[in-house]
Amino acid sequence: MTQRFEGRIAAVTGAASGLGRATALMLAQEGAKVLLFDRDEAGLAATANQCPGAVTVVGDASSAADVARAEAAARRDLGPVEFLVPAAGILGPAKAAIELEEAEWDRLFAINVKGPWLAARAFIPHMREIGRGSIVLFSSTAGLAGSPLLSAYSASKGAVTMLTRSLALNHAKEHIRVNCVCPGTINGPMAEAMFAQVGDAAARQARAATMLAGIPMNRFGEPEEIAAAVLYFLSDDAGFTTGAALPIDGGRLA
Ligand SMILES: NC(=O)c1ccc[n+]([C@@H]2O[C@H](COP(=O)([O-])OP(=O)(O)OC[C@H]3O[C@@H](n4cnc5c(N)ncnc54)[C@H](O)[C@@H]3O)[C@@H](O)[C@H]2O)c1
């Protein structure tokens, strides 16, 4: 195993589950010291148990005060953060955009869009101090193409794609690279939550079959397949890459 991140400091939000957890574990395996943030205290502890020296902060990714606590904890207990992965996100209701309640829309955008913006705003000053940094946001295939089933989610992830590109332009001269991954359907709690909204077991099975039919590789992805791409973007291997939005979707958007 290469140790691209030996002794270097990374912050991961949404680290209690799914893709954030897989990213945190892979970073720790490659030697990074990690600050782990999530609202799920038990899940966070389970991730931290597998990341030697991890620092955990329980909080809401859409709260400026909670993100500021995470920033302060990183500075106090680890040092300035070089790598940021704001992975916390929610799916929201599986319905057409105009069917959403105002509160549902606001919550979706608060967590999925304001969340990564708050994290970037908190940690880019660390990267400026050390003269370099790398950020990987979590967009989605739904952030590159529209989605009739998850239309508000798709709008929020489209915003994440453009936040990525704009941050990349803002900070390129400061040696801070910003990219995003655009996963398709990945096995784990979020995909299960999506299928759970579709209806009974037969409806879920039909939905899964329709989705699989649209994926040339004829399978869903695994969290580690996303984490590996995140680590590539974070690492010096991607030294000339910024503003990229990478579909990781078994060929669905090809
Ligand atoms: N799983 C997929 O198929 C898929 C596909 C495309 C994009 N994504 C994106 O990847 C990211 C990670 O998704 P996942 O599959 O790991 O989902 P997940 O539900 O397994 O994990 C999300 C984590 O974020 C945390 N979280 C949610 N809201 C939070 C908040 N307000 N404050 C703090 N923590 C919060 C949850 O507690 C959870 O630990 C999300 O941004 C998601 O939109 C996932």
Side-chain angles (χ1 to χ4, degrees):
M1 169 79 71
T2 53
Q3 294 287 313
R4 290 175 292 181
F5 299 93
E6 190 63 48
R8 298 163 85 180
I9 300 167
V12 181
T13 80
S17 176
L19 311 184
R21 170 179 279 171
T23 299
L25 297 186
M26 214 174 265
L27 278 166
Q29 279 161 15
E30 287 208 32
K33 296 193 268 178
V34 288
L35 180 285
L36 306 176
F37 180 92
D38 204 288
R39 64 183 175 189
D40 170 4
E41 188 169 6
L44 204 54
T47 305
N49 275 341
Q50 299 178 65
C51 300
V55 171
T56 59
V57 176
V58 178
D60 178 349
S62 67
S63 153
D66 288 0
V67 173
R69 274 197 298 112
E71 185 273 324
R75 187 176 284 290
R76 186 185 62 237
D77 298 334
L78 295 172
V81 166
E82 182 179 357
F83 305 108
L84 172 65
V85 184
I90 59 167
L91 198 58
K95 41 189 176 179
I98 63 165
E99 305 297 335
L100 261 68
E101 298 297 330
E102 184 180 1
E104 293 174 324
W105 176 275
D106 286 346
R107 181 162 178 266
L108 196 57
F109 274 72
I111 297 173
N112 289 4
V113 186
K114 184 182 173 193
W117 168 72
L118 283 173
R121 194 178 68 151
F123 287 106
I124 282 176
H126 288 216
M127 299 174 191
R128 282 179 163 153
E129 269 172 47
I130 54 182
R132 63 176 186 277
S134 183
I135 305 175
V136 178
L137 285 83
F138 270 76
S139 181
S140 166
T141 48
L144 297 174
S147 167
L149 184 69
L150 296 166
S151 54
Y153 176 78
S154 175
S156 76
K157 291 299 180 177
V160 172
T161 303
M162 297 316 293
L163 177 63
T164 300
R165 291 177 175 153
S166 299
L167 287 171
L169 294 173
N170 288 150
H171 302 289
K173 288 192 173 57
E174 299 176 293
H175 311 289
I176 298 169
R177 295 181 299 100
V178 188
N179 296 286
C180 66
V181 287
C182 302
T185 305
I186 309 302
N187 288 317
M190 187 171 277
E192 283 159 23
M194 180 182 65
F195 288 123
Q197 290 192 47
V198 171
D200 61 12
R204 289 202 291 274
Q205 226 171 6
R207 179 76 203 154
T210 308
M211 289 178 70
L212 279 173
I215 301 173
M217 292 180 75
N218 197 39
R219 67 172 177 87
F220 299 137
E222 295 301 330
E224 293 70 26
E225 294 176 308
I226 306 304
V230 173
L231 264 67
Y232 164 70
F233 274 141
L234 290 178
S235 77
D236 300 337
D237 294 340
F240 195 48
T241 303
T242 196
L246 179 69
I248 308 169
D249 62 354
R252 192 169 84 75
L253 295 186

